[in-house]
Amino acid sequence: MEDGYYIGRRWEDLDTDILVKIFQSFDILELTSGIAHVCSAWRMACCDPLLWKTLDLSMMKSNFIKIPLEPYVYVDGRSDKILTRLLKISMSLSRGNITTLIFHFNLFVSDEQLTYTAERCPQLRRLVLPAWNRIKKTGICKAIRAWKDLESLTMPGIANPPYLMEEISKNCKNFRELKIMGPCDKFFASTLATYLPTLKVLSLRCSMLYKEALIIVLDSLPHLEVLNISHCLLIEVLPPPGPKKVVSEIDQSIIEKASRLREFLTCMNDSCTMCQRTKIDEGLMRWYRYEEGLWKADEVSSLAL
């Protein structure tokens, strides 16, 4: 330094590996805020595959109101534009390297947003998409066809699962792991047995689960290794004219069927907070009532976020 004059390194001269290390501490909102336009060196760093293995949008929520008719939510136009812009920037920077895609349970993606993303994430292996209100059959099927490497899916309960499970069966040969954030009845379980007989991991935690559905899962998924029914509201349908009843403990016949599994995760304890919440919500969890991020939990480590 002479006469107060100092020559130092410029930001754009930083080694790319160092820039990438710095950018790894940014969340998706920061990463897409415009730093890629500072200079060519920063853009190169912003496109590094290390930054784009996971696109985590679990901090983003739609600005919406509930409505009485399908899709049962109305999403504010400005909210939609923000998500669309973020997806476009993310797809441009990621250059097809995303393998995990995570959406918040109150982020209501449209068909157009989903298919746009699917076409630009050909290597996707894990999808966490808890809200499908605005997604139609054509949209999710088109997306599934683009994801040949899909291995894991977190989804809501849906009324007509065969079309989806058939699409996964046809297109995703490495599919092995499923989490359903919603009721699982006999129809859903039978659909899994028909189209996904090689499923290895299944989580139904914090949901309404019919006993006959549980028996189908245990009898008809021969490759199943891990089953999580922690905090489920287990329902038994009695012969007519008997009513439905909540089962307070798992009977011995089910325990014997589950003994072949590597892990059978259960919790049906009246003193358990999550079990209490599932009962209060009648097997259809209203996650917005509880701690932020609680919906991400799972006793199966590979499904937890």
Side-chain angles (χ1 to χ4, degrees), residues 93-241:
L93 295 175
S94 63
R95 298 178 177 177
N97 286 303
I98 294 170
T99 58
T100 298
L101 183 56
I102 304 169
F103 293 94
H104 192 276
F105 72 89
N106 270 347
L107 184 57
F108 298 100
V109 183
S110 68
D111 271 344
E112 293 76 16
Q113 290 164 336
L114 181 66
T115 54
Y116 176 88
T117 303
E119 289 165 357
R120 291 158 180 81
C121 296
Q123 298 184 53
L124 197 75
R125 293 181 181 176
R126 184 182 184 190
L127 175 65
V128 178
L129 187 63
W132 289 22
N133 298 58
R134 302 171 67 204
I135 297 172
K136 299 180 177 64
K137 175 180 176 180
T138 51
I140 189 61
C141 287
K142 185 176 180 181
I144 293 297
R145 290 183 204 116
W147 290 325
K148 303 295 184 184
D149 296 328
L150 190 69
E151 299 174 1
S152 174
L153 173 63
T154 297
M155 60 173 287
I158 57 175
N160 184 30
Y163 75 86
L164 172 69
M165 302 307 167
E166 183 177 10
E167 207 66 57
I168 292 173
S169 176
K170 286 180 180 177
N171 293 281
C172 311
K173 300 306 179 184
N174 297 321
F175 193 82
R176 60 181 300 277
E177 189 174 74
L178 179 65
K179 178 175 181 175
I180 302 170
M181 297 179 68
C184 181
D185 58 12
K186 182 179 179 180
F187 181 42
F188 210 125
S190 297
T191 300
L192 293 181
T194 300
Y195 295 106
L196 299 178
T198 60
L199 195 67
K200 294 183 181 298
V201 179
L202 177 62
S203 179
L204 305 169
R205 72 185 306 270
C206 298
S207 298
M208 181 185 293
L209 172 61
Y210 285 82
K211 184 178 177 181
E212 56 187 348
L214 176 57
I215 292 171
I216 291 170
V217 164
L218 291 171
D219 285 345
S220 305
L221 294 176
H223 297 274
L224 195 66
E225 298 175 2
V226 178
L227 175 60
N228 185 12
I229 62 167
S230 300
H231 325 300
C232 277
L233 190 65
L234 189 59
I235 302 295
E236 183 173 11
V237 180
L238 300 175

Side-chain angles (χ1 to χ4, degrees), residues 28-87:
I28 187 61
L29 299 178
E30 295 166 330
L31 202 56
T32 57
S33 63
I35 59 175
H37 298 298
V38 170
C39 62
S40 58
W42 282 36
R43 182 168 184 84
M44 184 182 298
C46 281
C47 294
D48 192 286
L50 285 175
L51 300 176
W52 295 104
K53 290 188 179 300
T54 297
L55 178 56
D56 186 355
L57 302 179
S58 63
M59 79 295 291
M60 286 191 69
K61 305 177 189 178
S62 298
N63 183 17
F64 72 98
I65 58 172
K66 294 182 178 180
I67 56 176
L69 302 174
E70 286 190 15
Y72 305 112
V73 292
Y74 170 78
V75 177
D76 173 64
R78 184 172 178 274
S79 179
D80 246 357
K81 286 179 182 178
I82 291 172
L83 177 58
T84 296
R85 175 184 174 277
L86 189 147
L87 288 172

